[in-house]
Amino acid sequence: MFSVVCRAQGVRFRDRLFGLGRGLGGAGIWAGANPPQAASLPHIAAVNIRLIPTMDLKQTINLPKTAFSMKANLPQTEPKLLERWEQEKLYDAIRASRAGRPVYILHDGPPYANGRIHVGTAFNKILKDFIVKAKTMEGFDAPYVPGWDCHGLPIEIKVDSELGAKKANMPAIDIRRACRKYAEKYVDLQRQGFKRLGIFGTWENPYLTMSAEYQAVIAGAFVEFLDRGYVYKGLKPVNWCIHDRTALAEAEVEYADHTSPSIWVRFRLTSDPAKIAPELGGREVYGLIWTTTPWTIPANMAIAYNPKFEYVAVDVEGAVYIVAAELLKATADKCGWHNSQALARFNGERIEGAVFRHPFLERDSLGILADHVTLEQGTGAVHTAPGHGQEDYVVGRQYGIETYCPVDGAGRFFHAEGAAGRLPEEIIGKTVWQANPIVIEILRNHGALLAVDRLAHSYPHCWRCHNPTIFRATEQWFIGMERNDFRDAALKSIHKTKWIPVWGEERISNMVSTRPDWCISRQRVWGVPIIVFYCDKCREAITDRKVLEHVVELFKQYSADVWYEKSAAELAPAGTKCPRCGGSEFTKENDILDVWFDSGSSHLAVLNERFGLSWPADLYIEGGDQYRGWFQSSLLVGTGLKGSSPYRACALNGWVLDGEGRAMHKSLGNVIDPEDVIKHHGAEILRLWAASVDFHEDVRMSKTIETRLVEAYRKLRNTFRYLLGNLYDFDPERDAAGAGEMWELDQWILLRAEDLAERCRGSYHEFEFHKVYQWLYNFATVDLSAVYFDVLKDRLYTSAANSKARRAAQTALYRLLDGLVRLLAPILTFTAEEVWSQMKRPGSVHMALFPAAGEFAAGLDPEARKRAANWDRLMEVRDDVLKSLETARNEKLIGAPLEARVRISANGDLYPLLEQYAGDLPGLFIVSQVALDRTEGGEIGVTVERAVGQKCERCWKYTTDVGSAAEYPTICAACAKAIEET
């Protein structure tokens, strides 16, 4: 191909196609094999024709080249990286690279091994991975030992449903084996799911609460509590699930709306009413109670009054009722008292010792005093059944009242000992819920029922079967909160711990300060048994430490299954005797330990030499329900056995809701399955989502949010693609420019990156991942893509490949790439590794450190750092110019910015700065020319005009020197020089 240059009458023209221009003169392109001769061009009056070889200008441009594709193909790429990491034993390599460094321990809260991972568990595990990876890149040795809670009701219920009716005839050991098999299945499934999310850890050596070693630790912790005097067995009311027939821990109770019958019941006063108030002498007086649990009336033993409240005795058609003065009107309205007369007023303390008669049983009910009586609802008198309420039990103990519970484990009434009066046969064998209407009818028949209503309120439900629970007194094992000042010690541990967010301290403090004794026994099979023997002769509990430690050693060898495989005689050491009667034959305790005692002992089982971890942990992080659960049980075990909290800091993550703020349920069709997200978009999208939200609050996830995240990921990926694509011929060892050799714009962006890195490091340290995401995303899409990359294209693409200008730009790009990939690595685990590989860097990005302070702009002197402020001001001017260019495009004055000449008028403050950087302004604004005018004052003025000159076919700028180099007639002088230098 040749270029034909014609001179005619001193005018020059060009034609780009196969023929020559029909005009006064010019240049044309000939595509044939033989160039034309002057004689063959009679239509041109050529004075001079020169034929020079032409070139494909595109081949002279430094266009980006990279194997880092725009389309991520994450569902295919991520498994390959996982396989590579496993082959390279990356986790072990990371630990080895941090050997001898300060250790940071995040102790994993064990999820239940009873289903596949869901978006909530994925969220929690990803957050933990952010922390571990960030701490590793801060320079810590940050091990991560994952674990699973394998015991307890959730798994046993699932196994129950699988075994069906045959379970009734199965020995306990066979049921336990079925539970173990079930747990093993879901440990494996969840392990694969968590690994697929890119989470690093000791996945092949996790901790399992059902392992022999762990079960021995649990049993040993119980023995230690027992030996230190914290543990006792007693008859106390506990939360009880009549469906699952077991006691429930505080953390196993959830509250839901429930409608209960509410009744007003009168108890006849049988003692002398004049002792309460003289005005009542000789009158028929009644105590009046209100309750929402009619079924507990058969267990009534007392009526509680507040000693500080004022009570009034009112006459209603000859009968006198004692009611709190402040609740008289509300009570009168409910009971239909249209005419009542106050006879006497007195404080509640006057009623102490009064004797009332049960409405339908041959039993007295004692008038007692209690501070838990309030004026919120009712009559100011509380029906008290110590066998069915914690506060009732406590005040009953103070007055020596029997803890009477005529309800069995299935929630059915039976004739129980411990109180006078035989229960009506109508309720025997009935459940408490069936008994409610029966009791109401009995009260009505006895003339004791004054009013009936319905009350919708929040009521405790079993967390697993979601059925309403009851309070029921049973013999259980407890850890006493007042023993050895345990409650005070736990509160002190709480105050020494860092809580994230800070209100977590008040929340857990309130729970611990008011919680009852810890009921640690459960009436189930799948768990760690309470290792206590009972003497067959006298029923004395054998709690000798040496005897029980012998059993602990057996657990360590054979697992807790040995308790069910062997008899008491085989388990107890030879020569064991009852300390009371000297008996040598024993039976075993049938109850197991609360699963929260199991998981609460995890720090004892994991933070030890076996896992190479030290006690206490630096951090626990779980969902908000764990203030009642794992956070609290761990704190109690740590305080009781080691004197302090097992964690230095404790963080909360919120619940995952749908896009409208609703809980996710299959019935609503709003569940986001992490496996589906991974299948279609890759695990990186879930990781990006986890980083994009403030995890301390409840967070949202939906298909719409998922789509937005995919787009956000695309922009971040394209940022790396731009960086990699423009570094294809750059060797940092050979080509890097010194800090002082870089252009001021390069220095400016690196200083911006330096500030970004400082903020990101600080936010990683504070676990503010949403801020890290926002800052990195904004830097990538605004500072880089919308500004720096846009301005840089001309220098990168059109400068000579090895020119100082281009190498300076590439040096800045390399510094940006090297730092940004490390800042994003904890979040975009897979993508960062992919970028690192494209950079031809050795090892893994996850073995690297975060950019150090000052690393991005290393080598810049103070004066250069000071000049960066000039560019902040120039960027403000750029914003004004871009708005004017957009207006000019809309008005069809220009098509593209390079067709423009921008005229800027500025006042005395700004003009010198613009004049100083006049040569940089066309490139900064991406226009062909900039003209400056000085004004006396006022705001900056921007006018857009058509650029003068011709368009360079290589850089597309309009200049007046196109063709000034005869060999390159269609390009500007700068491009001609770049080609010559290449």
Side-chain angles (χ1 to χ4, degrees), residues 305-311 347-350 368-371 373:
Y305 296 86
N306 194 303
K308 300 175 183 177
F309 293 168
E310 181 185 45
Y311 288 83
N347 286 337
E349 61 187 4
R350 299 287 301 168
I368 61 176
L369 303 180
D371 290 334
V373 179

Side-chain angles (χ1 to χ4, degrees), residues 449-523:
L449 184 68
L450 270 63
V452 180
D453 203 353
R454 303 285 293 175
L455 179 70
H457 59 142
S458 181
Y459 189 84
H461 288 65
C462 174
W463 73 316
R464 183 49 49 187
C465 68
H466 307 297
N467 288 305
T469 65
I470 65 172
F471 265 93
R472 171 177 177 263
T474 62
E475 273 206 325
Q476 302 285 344
W477 289 91
F478 296 90
I479 290 178
M481 293 302 298
E482 309 309 329
R483 297 193 171 199
N484 302 331
D485 296 322
F486 190 27
R487 191 187 306 277
D488 289 342
L491 290 171
K492 289 177 182 177
S493 294
I494 290 170
H495 299 325
K496 293 177 181 177
T497 301
K498 179 180 179 182
W499 298 92
I500 308 168
V502 292
W503 52 257
E505 179 176 352
E506 181 179 6
R507 185 171 181 183
I508 194 169
S509 293
N510 290 338
M511 291 178 175
V512 170
S513 63
T514 59
R515 69 161 294 150
D517 290 349
W518 183 2
C519 177
I520 58 171
S521 51
R522 296 292 180 272
Q523 292 65 51

Side-chain angles (χ1 to χ4, degrees), residues 23-237:
L24 296 177
I29 304 299
W30 179 261
N34 300 306
Q37 302 299 315
S40 67
L41 304 172
H43 58 284
I44 295 180
V47 175
N48 179 31
I49 297 179
R50 282 198 304 133
L51 304 178
I52 60 173
T54 62
M55 62 180 66
D56 184 355
L57 293 177
K58 185 178 180 181
Q59 299 302 316
T60 71
I61 303 295
N62 308 306
L63 294 176
K65 301 175 186 176
T66 180
F68 187 75
S69 64
M70 183 182 298
K71 186 176 181 181
N73 294 314
L74 292 173
Q76 292 77 40
T77 302
E78 289 172 349
K80 294 177 182 177
L81 282 170
L82 288 171
E83 184 179 358
R84 189 188 107 190
W85 289 336
E86 196 151 333
Q87 291 174 350
E88 295 174 352
K89 300 185 183 302
L90 178 58
Y91 175 79
D92 294 338
I94 292 171
R95 291 294 311 282
S97 71
R98 297 296 188 269
R101 302 299 298 270
V103 177
Y104 186 91
I105 298 173
L106 184 156
H107 180 40
D108 187 35
Y112 279 111
N114 68 327
R116 294 179 179 274
I117 68 170
H118 53 76
V119 70
T121 51
F123 181 50
N124 175 260
K125 276 293 193 289
I126 290 171
L127 291 174
K128 291 173 180 175
D129 193 55
F130 288 168
I131 294 168
V132 171
K133 285 191 169 81
K135 288 299 177 182
T136 299
M137 299 191 78
E138 285 178 13
F140 287 92
D141 178 7
Y144 178 63
V145 179
W148 277 271
D149 196 342
C150 308
H151 294 144
L153 198 58
I155 292 171
E156 194 168 345
I157 288 175
K158 290 288 187 181
V159 172
D160 283 357
S161 64
E162 290 182 358
L163 294 176
K166 67 179 181 180
K167 182 196 172 186
N169 300 317
M170 291 174 63
I173 186 61
D174 288 345
I175 297 172
R176 288 175 62 85
R177 286 169 181 155
C179 289
R180 183 180 294 277
K181 184 177 180 182
Y182 180 92
E184 287 172 345
K185 171 185 174 181
Y186 283 102
V187 165
D188 287 339
L189 286 173
Q190 290 186 14
R191 173 169 33 213
Q192 293 307 312
F194 292 139
K195 289 172 69 175
R196 181 62 185 84
L197 293 170
I199 297 163
F200 295 169
T202 60
W203 292 111
E204 304 314 312
N205 186 31
Y207 75 87
L208 306 175
T209 61
M210 65 181 178
S211 70
E213 297 89 345
Y214 196 119
Q215 289 179 333
V217 169
I218 297 168
F222 168 76
V223 171
E224 192 66 39
F225 268 107
L226 186 67
D227 191 58
R228 295 188 185 190
Y230 289 102
V231 179
Y232 68 94
K233 189 174 187 180
L235 180 67
K236 290 182 63 175

Side-chain angles (χ1 to χ4, degrees), residues 602-766:
S602 63
H603 54 91
L604 302 175
V606 179
L607 306 182
N608 53 36
E609 292 182 1
R610 183 196 163 204
F611 289 98
L613 306 178
S614 58
W615 196 97
D618 291 286
L619 180 70
Y620 278 28
I621 173 172
E622 299 296 334
D625 56 337
Q626 298 309 316
Y627 287 115
R628 290 193 302 148
W630 190 57
F631 293 162
Q632 191 174 146
S633 64
S634 298
L635 179 107
L636 293 177
V637 172
T639 301
L641 301 187
K642 284 185 169 285
S644 64
S645 169
Y647 42 83
R648 294 187 176 96
C650 185
L652 158 80
N653 68 257
W655 300 108
V656 179
L657 309 175
D658 72 2
E660 298 177 14
R662 302 173 301 172
M664 292 186 181
H665 293 291
K666 289 182 179 178
S667 60
L668 296 177
N670 63 349
V671 174
I672 298 294
D673 187 343
E675 292 185 8
D676 287 342
V677 178
I678 292 170
K679 178 181 178 181
H680 292 99
H681 303 298
E684 290 286 58
I685 301 307
L686 286 170
R687 297 182 69 92
L688 197 62
W689 161 68
S692 69
V693 295
D694 182 352
F695 72 81
H696 301 309
E697 307 291 337
D698 289 345
V699 301
R700 299 188 179 193
M701 183 56 165
S702 66
K703 291 294 183 182
T704 301
I705 294 172
E706 190 178 318
T707 300
R708 292 179 194 151
L709 290 163
V710 170
E711 177 61 17
Y713 173 81
R714 184 188 66 80
K715 291 180 179 179
L716 289 170
R717 184 176 182 87
N718 282 344
T719 299
F720 284 118
R721 190 167 188 270
Y722 181 101
L723 290 163
L724 288 166
N726 284 289
L727 291 169
Y728 67 91
D729 64 341
F730 181 79
D731 181 342
E733 296 294 326
R734 179 194 65 207
D735 302 320
E741 298 176 296
M742 284 187 280
W743 290 19
E744 284 191 23
L745 177 63
D746 305 327
Q747 296 172 352
W748 172 80
I749 195 64
L750 291 176
L751 288 170
R752 299 273 291 181
E754 190 169 276
D755 175 68
L756 168 75
E758 183 178 355
R759 284 182 282 128
C760 286
R761 286 194 307 270
S763 290
Y764 270 125
H765 185 75
E766 296 298 327

Side-chain angles (χ1 to χ4, degrees), residues 537-586:
K537 289 176 64 177
C538 69
R539 300 308 299 166
E540 175 77 0
I542 310 303
T543 58
D544 180 83
R545 181 169 188 143
K546 290 183 179 179
V547 173
L548 304 187
E549 285 183 339
H550 175 76
V551 178
V552 171
E553 287 302 313
L554 292 175
F555 281 16
K556 194 179 296 184
Q557 288 181 273
Y558 305 106
S559 87
D561 287 353
V562 73
W563 187 259
Y564 300 89
E565 292 171 328
K566 296 183 180 296
S567 66
E570 294 173 300
L571 291 167
T576 300
K577 299 289 184 182
C578 172
R580 175 189 284 181
C581 70
S584 58
E585 294 185 357
F586 309 99

